Amino acid sequence: MKLISFVFGFFALATASFAQIPNEIVTSILSGNDVTLAAYFNENVELVVESHDDVYSKSQAQQIVAEFFKSNKPKQFSIIHQGGKEDARYAIGSLTTATGAFRVYFLLRIKNNSTLIHQLKIEKQG
C-alpha cells in the first residue's frame, strides 16, 4: 500500500510541475500561432531564431516568430524535458516542420502572477 501511495504521489507531483508550463504555449507552437505565443512574451525577449539573435521587444519578437512559422509550418511539437524552480521554469522541445527538425528552448518566469517567456531559441537540428 505504501508503494502505491508513493507512486501515486510521485505522478501527482510530476503532473503538478508539468502544469507550470502553460498548455497554450505548447499548442501555439504546434499550430504555428504567433499571436497566442506572443501573448506569453515578456516586454523584451531574448530571441534566437534563424539569423536573429538579440533581445527584441514583444512586437518585434512576434514578427520574427511569425516569419519563422510562415517559412517552417509546424507538423509536430512535444516537450522533451523541463525543470527549474517555482518562479523560473525552462523547457526543451522537439519541433518537426515541413522544412526539418528544430530544438526549441524557452525560459519562463513568473511576473505579477503571469507566466512569461523571457528567452526563446529555435535551432535547426542536424
Side-chain angles (χ1 to χ4, degrees):
M1 187 65 180
K2 287 182 182 179
L3 179 62
I4 292 171
S5 295
F6 173 76
V7 171
F8 193 65
F10 175 78
F11 283 113
L13 182 62
T15 303
S17 57
F18 179 74
Q20 302 228 351
I21 304 294
N23 192 46
E24 291 84 8
I25 291 174
V26 175
T27 57
S28 66
I29 294 171
L30 177 59
S31 64
N33 187 333
D34 61 284
V35 175
T36 302
L37 184 60
Y40 285 91
F41 287 170
N42 190 34
E43 289 306 311
N44 292 299
V45 181
E46 184 181 332
L47 190 66
V48 178
V49 178
E50 296 180 318
S51 64
H52 304 281
D53 183 354
D54 207 342
V55 176
Y56 297 94
S57 70
K58 185 175 186 169
S59 61
Q60 288 173 313
Q62 180 180 345
Q63 290 173 354
I64 293 166
V65 170
E67 182 182 301
F68 172 81
F69 285 146
K70 187 176 179 183
S71 301
N72 304 279
K73 181 146 178 58
K75 291 183 170 186
Q76 185 176 1
F77 178 70
S78 60
I79 299 291
I80 54 176
H81 183 74
Q82 61 180 313
K85 300 177 184 173
E86 217 173 278
D87 60 343
R89 309 267 315 149
Y90 69 89
I92 302 169
S94 178
L95 173 64
T96 304
T97 72
T99 58
F102 295 84
R103 185 75 59 187
V104 179
Y105 306 86
F106 51 94
L107 173 66
L108 305 163
R109 290 200 175 130
I110 306 295
K111 183 177 178 184
N112 299 329
N113 289 330
S114 296
T115 302
L116 299 175
I117 297 172
H118 286 251
Q119 295 177 340
L120 175 65
K121 295 181 182 182
I122 304 175
E123 299 176 335
K124 187 107 174 145
Q125 283 187 281

